Amino acid sequence: MKLPSGYGSISKLSGNRRRPYIVRKSKEGGGFSIIGYAATREEGLELLAQYNQNPWDIDRAKITLQQLYDLWTEKKAPKLGKANQDSLRAAFKHCAALQDVPYKEIKAFQMQDTIVGSRKTHAAENFQKTLP
């Protein structure tokens, strides 16, 4: 089935994969933006249709830890209890050195240094490990 021009494309990747279909859309000026991966071509078509109906930001590589935390507090934090929210907020304050770093570029040793460097209780360290 041929898709309309500018709609996007679905391609099958080689190898044995759980989600072998790549869903992508061409960028202005050349190249592609990957929207996601799908297990079947039909799932890929659904994903492409959802994206074309209501486009979302597919450039997730630039999101910082602060932006990710703000999104989390907006969507997920209200579902938690007040004490849990307060503990996670306090744990996030100890990650101040990493707040402006793109989340994709944060390495495990950097997060480990912030956890060890905070010198808090074991419970506080666990809250830092569970930050978004």
Side-chain angles (χ1 to χ4, degrees):
M1 174 169 102
K2 186 166 168 82
L3 298 173
S5 180
Y7 191 74
S9 66
I10 302 168
S11 302
K12 185 166 185 184
L13 301 171
S14 63
N16 186 17
R17 303 167 187 255
R18 288 183 298 145
R19 297 181 302 166
Y21 291 91
I22 184 170
V23 181
R24 57 190 180 175
K25 187 154 179 140
S26 60
K27 290 188 213 175
E28 292 181 21
F32 288 96
S33 294
I34 297 173
I35 297 171
Y37 297 89
T40 63
R41 183 168 173 80
E42 290 75 26
E43 285 180 22
L45 285 170
E46 288 177 23
L47 184 63
L48 192 56
Q50 288 174 359
Y51 177 78
N52 281 312
Q53 185 177 12
N54 186 14
W56 58 81
D57 183 19
I58 52 180
D59 194 12
R60 294 178 229 154
K62 295 180 182 176
I63 192 166
T64 63
L65 183 62
Q66 179 68 49
Q67 292 169 332
L68 186 61
Y69 179 76
D70 292 341
L71 285 170
W72 177 82
T73 54
E74 177 183 314
K75 296 183 188 229
K76 299 289 183 179
K79 297 176 185 175
L80 299 174
K82 179 160 176 27
N84 217 353
Q85 287 179 15
D86 292 341
S87 297
L88 287 167
R89 191 174 302 115
F92 182 72
K93 287 181 183 178
H94 293 291
C95 299
L98 301 175
Q99 288 180 0
D100 295 327
V101 178
Y103 185 73
K104 190 175 182 178
E105 294 178 11
I106 296 175
K107 305 294 183 208
F109 73 89
Q110 292 173 315
M111 188 58 84
Q112 183 66 34
D113 287 344
T114 62
I115 292 170
V116 172
S118 66
R119 297 183 183 221
K120 294 293 174 187
T121 64
H122 183 67
E125 287 180 359
N126 284 339
F127 274 111
Q128 275 184 288
K129 292 176 189 176
T130 59
L131 285 174

